[in-house]
Amino acid sequence: MAVTFAAYGVYYYEDQDPEKGRGMVGRIVDSGSSTVPAFPGLRVFPNNGDPKVEGFIDTSNNLRIATVGYVKGSAQPVEIFNALTGVSAGTPSWSSIDNLYSLVRLGNYLYAIDFDNARVVEIRADTYAQTGVTCTLPAALTPSGYIAHGQALIVIGTTLYGLFSFTDNAWANYANSLLVRFTVTGGSSISVGTNDYNANLAKNAFSLAVNGNDLYIAAIGGRQVEGSYNANSRLQKIAYATADLTTATVTDVFSPSTTYPYEVRDISFKGGKAFILMGAYNSNWKMTGKLLSTSDFLNFATVNDFSSGVSGYFWAAQYTGDNDRLWFAQGNDVKIYDASNESFVTAISISTLAGGGLYDNLNDLAYVGAYGQRASLRGYRSPLQASLTPRARAARALTRGRPELSEEEFAQLPE
C-alpha cells in the first residue's frame, strides 16, 4: 500500500461579525488501512472564512500543498507546504492570481486558473515562482451581458484544457459553458486558437474528467434552487482531440429523471467504470441524492444513498488510483470507500477535521498523491460561494454558507 496525502480547508463565521470568518487548513494521510488520520492546524487564517488548498508534485517529485486564504476579497500570501512533513516550503508571490481555483502541472510548469478573472497563470514547478506568462479568456468568447468564471483545468497528455462558466451579475441567469484547448509554450506563452474552443456545453459546468478519447463535463444546468432540482443539469462528453473543437459534437450522457431527480455534482473514472455524484437541495437546504457507479450509464449501483438529506455545502466524489480509493466529501464530512468492491472504509467527521476547534464547515478538499498524478476533489461551488467580489462577500454574510440567495436576501445586496 502507498502512503498518500490530501489537504482540506474548514471554517466558521463569528455571530458578532458575519463577514469575518475563521479558517484552517489541515492534512489527511492515507496508508491504505481502515485508519485514515487527519492532522489539523497546517495553517490557520484568523481573519478569513475561505481557505483554499491545492495539491501538486514539483519537478523534484516532492508532494506539495499550496494554501491561500482571503480577507474581505484580498488574497493573503500563498504558502507552500511539504505534504509529508507539514513543514513550510516557501511563500511565493502569485500576484496575478486573485482567486485561486484550480492548479495542475504540465511539464516543468504549474498552471493555475483564477475564478473571478477567468485567467490562466503559469508558475515554475521547481521554484514555485510566477513566470509572468498569463492568458485571460478573450472577451470575444464571453457572451454579451455575462461574466466569465474560471472553473477548472485538466491536462490530457501534453495539452492543457480549461472550463469556463458564465453568469449575470445577479447569479440568476447563465449562458452555455465553454471548453477551451490552450496552446502552451512553457515559459513563453499561453493562447487560444481560432478552432480551439466549444461553446455548446450545458450551463453552469464545473467539473472535468477524461476517459478514453472523451472529456466528460458535469454541469448544474443553471442556478440551484431550494426544494427542487434543475432539470437542465447534464453529464456530457466531447471528443477532446477533434481538430476543429468548435464543431465537435457534445453528447448528453446522463440527465435528471423521475428515478434520479438530482443535479449532476461530480464525475470520475476507474478504467471503464464511472462514479457519478448527484444531488439536489431540499426545502431545508439539506442535500439529497446518491453516489452511483456505472459501466454503461444505463445500469447503476448505489455506493451511498443520502436521499433523506444531509447538512453541509461541500460535495465532491473522486476516484484515486493510489490505494484504489473513492473519496467522498459529504457536506461536512469526508468518507472513503474501497473502489475495488465499493465498500465503506472509514469516515472523517468535521469535528476531527476541526481538531477540537470551532470550525463547523468543510470548505475545500484536494488530493495530493503518492508520487503520481494528483486529482482535484473540488466539487461544485456556486458563484456566491466562490467569488471574492464585494457583492459575493456581502451575500455570504447573509447566507452564512448557504449556496444561493433568497429573493428577500438578494434585495438587501448593494448595487
Side-chain angles (χ1 to χ4, degrees), residues 226-227 281-288 308 310-313 402:
E226 175 188 10
Y281 287 106
N282 65 19
S283 57
N284 296 315
W285 285 104
K286 290 186 176 182
M287 184 69 79
T288 64
S308 60
V310 175
S311 299
Y313 304 120
R402 181 161 35 83

Side-chain angles (χ1 to χ4, degrees), residues 8 10 24 28 38 40 332-334 348-355 362:
Y8 66 89
V10 291
M24 184 266 287
I28 298 172
N332 287 322
D333 301 330
V334 177
I348 309 173
S349 68
I350 184 63
S351 61
T352 298
L353 296 171
L362 179 64

Side-chain angles (χ1 to χ4, degrees), residues 215-248:
L215 185 60
Y216 287 74
I217 305 102
I220 297 295
R223 186 174 182 268
Q224 301 172 113
V225 292
E226 175 188 10
S228 184
Y229 65 93
N230 193 320
N232 295 316
S233 180
R234 293 290 185 273
L235 175 63
Q236 299 178 311
K237 69 176 182 179
I238 185 172
Y240 58 82
T242 305
D244 185 349
L245 197 58
T246 64
T247 63

Side-chain angles (χ1 to χ4, degrees), residues 304-315:
N304 184 294
D305 185 332
F306 51 98
S307 55
S308 60
V310 175
S311 299
Y313 304 120
F314 187 86
W315 296 83

Side-chain angles (χ1 to χ4, degrees), residues 129-207:
Q130 288 185 179
T131 66
V133 176
T134 68
C135 178
T136 300
L137 185 69
L141 296 181
T142 299
S144 177
Y146 288 86
I147 301 167
H149 297 297
Q151 286 282 8
L153 294 174
I154 190 171
V155 172
I156 306 175
T158 59
T159 304
L160 178 68
Y161 292 80
L163 180 66
F164 298 85
S165 65
F166 306 96
T167 183
D168 63 9
N169 193 47
W171 310 303
N173 299 298
Y174 290 76
N176 285 351
S177 302
L178 178 76
L179 177 68
V180 170
R181 181 170 56 204
F182 293 101
T183 298
V184 176
T185 301
S188 178
S189 65
I190 308 169
S191 60
V192 182
T194 305
N195 300 320
D196 287 333
Y197 64 89
N198 191 290
N200 299 314
L201 305 181
K203 297 176 181 180
N204 202 0
F206 63 95
S207 182

